[in-house]
Amino acid sequence: MLSACVLALQLAAAAQPELAPGARYDPRIPTIKQVLGHDFGEQITTPEELPLYLRALNQAAPDRTRLSEYARTWEGRPLWLFVIGSPERIAQLDRVKADLRRLADPRGLSRDDGERLIRELPVVTWLMHGVHGNEISSSDAALAEAYHLLAVQGDQDVQLVFRDSIVVIDPMQNPDGRARFVVQNLMGRAADGDATPVAAEHDEPWPGGRSNHYLFDMNRDWFSQSQPETQGRITALLEWFPHVAVDLHEMGGDSTYYFGPPAAPFNPHITKSQIASFDLFGRASAVKFDERGFAYFNRENYDEFYPGYGDSWPILQGAVGMTYEQASARGLAWKRTDGATLTYRDGIVHHFTAAIATVTTAAKNRERLLKDFLEYRRSAIEEGDKSSAREYVLVPGVDPSRALALARNLASQGIEVRRAAEPVKVATRTIPAGAFLVSSAQPTGRLLRNLLDPHTAQDEAFIKEQDRRRKLRLGDEIYDITAWSLPLLFDVEVVPSPSRLDVKSSPVSTAKNPPASAPLPPAKVGYLLPWGTATAETVSEALRAGIRIRHAGKPFALAGRKFPIGTAIVRVSENDAGLAARLGPIVAKHGAEAVPIDSGYQDEGISLGSASVVALKAPRVLLAWDTPTQSQSAGWARYVLERRFGVAVTAIRVSAIDRADLDDFDVIVLPSGTYAPLAGDEPLRRIRDWVRRGGTLVTIAEASRWAANERVNLIETRTELRGGRPEVEERNTSGASGSSGSTGSGSSQSGGAAQGSGTTTQQAFDYNKSIQPERERPENTPGAIVRVTTDQEHWLNSGQDGELQVMLEGQRIFTPIRLDRGRNVGVYATRDKLVASGLVWDEARDQLAQKAYLIYEPMGQGHVIAFAEDPNFRAFTEATELLFANAVLLGPAY
Ligand SMILES: [Zn+2]
């Protein structure tokens, strides 16, 4: 590639840092240049090239390496593990791994055995690279790490690494994202390469390379495991139980290098010995960085609170988990604002230096790290044993498929979950058989308490400081969400038991429902499927298979059983012969319940032939795609529809929606975003006319706020400013728009608290009051779980029990819609009941209470359904994902 060569030559003229100054390398180990044609930093190694080099290293050193594929991405790219160790251990890897797993479970491990394992086992250092596909240097650093460890000669540190450790390199966690980055970078590259930050080669078009195919941030996916990449990594980690796990990233090009110790706040389940190890590894990297004059920082920005990061999840399994961050050249070179040029090679060398310091430090502290690991898992059992929640009982509620999904989610993270075969008694309560039991007294106790406890405490001093900062409008230092309790988000009731529960039970496996070919039992009239996640999945697949299904818009009782609103009805008379044989496998696959009925005569409520029983159809869905949608919201919605509920989706770029025939679709989903391209009179008229002809428009989060904008007015409510005033656009009397100097004295303003009036001049000057902003969005909520009360008479709430918890993030507050305009089918709870988990400041709590979460507005033959928040948040908000699926699956029928 000529252009790259020119740039490489220019950069070579500047001093390019050596990988390891003075190192001598074994010529029998191939260099990257010999295999791929470029040296480290001359090119961004592509996802296709990367395994070619690893294979060459594996072939040159077969006795010291193992290369294996651990999963495939959505786009079909392989994910690799490259294991480096002594020939003796590589030859007996299965035995070593079995011993590593024994060390991870202190139960049944005798004192002698424990001591023997600590004496004999290697410390395992797991180095993960490039989970964010546009954070490019770390994957090339992975190749440099592998080369150096295999080729360097006469290096005592590396000899120790082979003697006392195994290094596992995950070189490229997100090849789909990396591929996306590399293509756009090459496409945009100037003849000589351009270091200008805003140059096209650095400036990624939507959605950028950070995320995977479904646009997930996989560094938030660890306990959710929604993506195959994460599932593969977790399976691999649970085979090995590494003692040190590092996730290597990139950050903005003007920064330096970050390694631990991390910033506050810490997850409260991190132990003192782990914190001591953060310092041990931080100091060791600092020594190497100081030797070479590389700048770095620690204790800022990157915290260890949220349990779904690539470093925190291994921490909660007992490892020393760490994140490293390198300033990104976002290409081959980047002009920093201080005038210096940061090269791609710089980034590789920095990551390489930190990684080699880490594997060396791990080897030097082998015994300590193994002891700490064993002690972490032993003390987790002891702590759980003494916990007031010695055992958690997950109670299957109106939608038992959600409890099962939660049980399986936990089991696939190495958490032992049992299903009770008999009723469970906790205090005065008796929970029927079929409940799930999770004991805290197990080696993964700290991880499971993070996921099952309603609240994970944040350090008080940290919260106090954030309170001070926000009051001064300094912005908070909260890195991610403050709540993630899975039972709340799955809307599964948990009953904690202070004592061990001795009931007959069987372990829950992670296996999906076995494919069953068994037909349903025969039925004269048909089958009733109570609504829930599994039923929605079943109905979606059955509709696509051509089975005719109806949906009960009101409750009824039949054959002595009550069926709540939303029950799906499959009639024999409306379907072809062989219904039982066709429907049976679909019901079994999704784990739904189908009740055969021989009579349609109800005991109470509506009849099966009532006008309130509507025919469903497989919806044709248009999902707005590309800019200005927020890519995560668009990706989550697409994933939830396509992969969770099996709903076909046509993703159409917002810029092309005017070319689409809207009548080809039953549902339009607008993911979070501000849709300026659709705000003109003509696009809005088209959308409104389509809704009136029977369309279902679903808007999410910022798209709902856009729809509530007075000019757009697709829903007839408004968002609020701080203090409760409607968020209408500022109008300047002079007619100029967007003036920042507007005084707000226009007649349209009302209720401004800070407005001056004749009487205030009599009082002493109030400095604090005088500096309050005049027009401001509501107080920000940094990601918390709040309660919503649902209107159980509305079909949108099929499968819900009247109250659920939702993930709330940001500053959107919707005034409830008036009764003559629509219905508030989900409303935030009253102030005292509002917060289920996490940090919600008082001002936000005051203003959010009883405001609208889910708004329904009929329009002609169709309707608009507006979610105040993203119901598909990271795809771990199971209960609200069902609300979203209801909107899409049921909307066209009503
Ligand atoms: Zn990153």
Short mmCIF file of all heavy atoms in Angstrom, two decimals, residues 131-132 135 210 219 248-250 325, ligand 1:
data_model
loop_
_atom_site.label_atom_id
_atom_site.label_comp_id
_atom_site.label_asym_id
_atom_site.label_seq_id
_atom_site.Cartn_x
_atom_site.Cartn_y
_atom_site.Cartn_z
N VAL A 131 -11.81 -5.01 22.77
CA VAL A 131 -13.25 -5.26 22.85
C VAL A 131 -14.02 -4.15 22.13
O VAL A 131 -15.11 -4.37 21.62
CB VAL A 131 -13.71 -5.41 24.32
CG1 VAL A 131 -13.64 -4.10 25.08
CG2 VAL A 131 -15.13 -5.98 24.39
N HIS A 132 -13.43 -2.98 22.11
CA HIS A 132 -13.98 -1.89 21.31
C HIS A 132 -13.19 -1.85 20.00
O HIS A 132 -11.98 -1.58 20.01
CB HIS A 132 -13.89 -0.56 22.08
CG HIS A 132 -14.70 -0.58 23.34
ND1 HIS A 132 -14.25 -0.07 24.53
CD2 HIS A 132 -15.95 -1.07 23.57
CE1 HIS A 132 -15.20 -0.24 25.45
NE2 HIS A 132 -16.24 -0.84 24.89
N GLU A 135 -10.61 0.68 19.01
CA GLU A 135 -9.47 0.90 19.91
C GLU A 135 -8.39 -0.06 19.44
O GLU A 135 -8.15 -1.13 19.99
CB GLU A 135 -9.92 0.68 21.35
CG GLU A 135 -11.03 1.69 21.71
CD GLU A 135 -11.61 1.51 23.10
OE1 GLU A 135 -11.16 0.61 23.81
OE2 GLU A 135 -12.50 2.30 23.45
N ARG A 210 -16.71 0.82 17.52
CA ARG A 210 -16.66 0.45 18.93
C ARG A 210 -17.46 -0.82 19.24
O ARG A 210 -17.02 -1.69 19.98
CB ARG A 210 -17.21 1.61 19.77
CG ARG A 210 -17.24 1.35 21.26
CD ARG A 210 -17.81 2.59 21.99
NE ARG A 210 -17.96 2.36 23.42
CZ ARG A 210 -17.00 2.58 24.33
NH1 ARG A 210 -15.83 3.01 23.94
NH2 ARG A 210 -17.22 2.37 25.60
N ASN A 219 -18.21 -4.23 26.45
CA ASN A 219 -17.60 -4.02 27.76
C ASN A 219 -18.65 -3.64 28.80
O ASN A 219 -18.33 -3.13 29.87
CB ASN A 219 -16.52 -2.93 27.69
CG ASN A 219 -15.63 -2.94 28.92
OD1 ASN A 219 -15.38 -3.99 29.51
ND2 ASN A 219 -15.14 -1.76 29.33
N LEU A 248 -7.43 -4.51 27.62
CA LEU A 248 -6.64 -3.40 27.07
C LEU A 248 -7.45 -2.59 26.07
O LEU A 248 -7.94 -3.12 25.07
CB LEU A 248 -5.35 -3.93 26.43
CG LEU A 248 -4.34 -4.54 27.43
CD1 LEU A 248 -4.51 -6.05 27.50
CD2 LEU A 248 -2.91 -4.19 27.05
N HIS A 249 -7.59 -1.30 26.36
CA HIS A 249 -8.44 -0.39 25.58
C HIS A 249 -7.64 0.78 25.00
O HIS A 249 -6.44 0.88 25.20
CB HIS A 249 -9.51 0.21 26.51
CG HIS A 249 -10.55 -0.74 26.99
ND1 HIS A 249 -11.84 -0.70 26.55
CD2 HIS A 249 -10.48 -1.76 27.88
CE1 HIS A 249 -12.54 -1.65 27.15
NE2 HIS A 249 -11.74 -2.31 27.97
N GLU A 250 -8.40 1.67 24.37
CA GLU A 250 -7.86 2.99 24.00
C GLU A 250 -8.83 4.07 24.44
O GLU A 250 -10.03 3.83 24.56
CB GLU A 250 -7.66 3.09 22.48
CG GLU A 250 -6.43 2.35 21.99
CD GLU A 250 -6.14 2.63 20.51
OE1 GLU A 250 -7.02 3.18 19.80
OE2 GLU A 250 -5.03 2.31 20.07
N GLU A 325 -5.59 1.62 29.43
CA GLU A 325 -6.10 2.50 28.38
C GLU A 325 -4.95 3.28 27.75
O GLU A 325 -4.18 3.94 28.44
CB GLU A 325 -7.10 3.52 28.95
CG GLU A 325 -8.36 2.91 29.58
CD GLU A 325 -9.52 2.81 28.60
OE1 GLU A 325 -9.38 3.28 27.44
OE2 GLU A 325 -10.56 2.27 28.99
ZN ZN B 1 -12.58 0.76 25.30
#
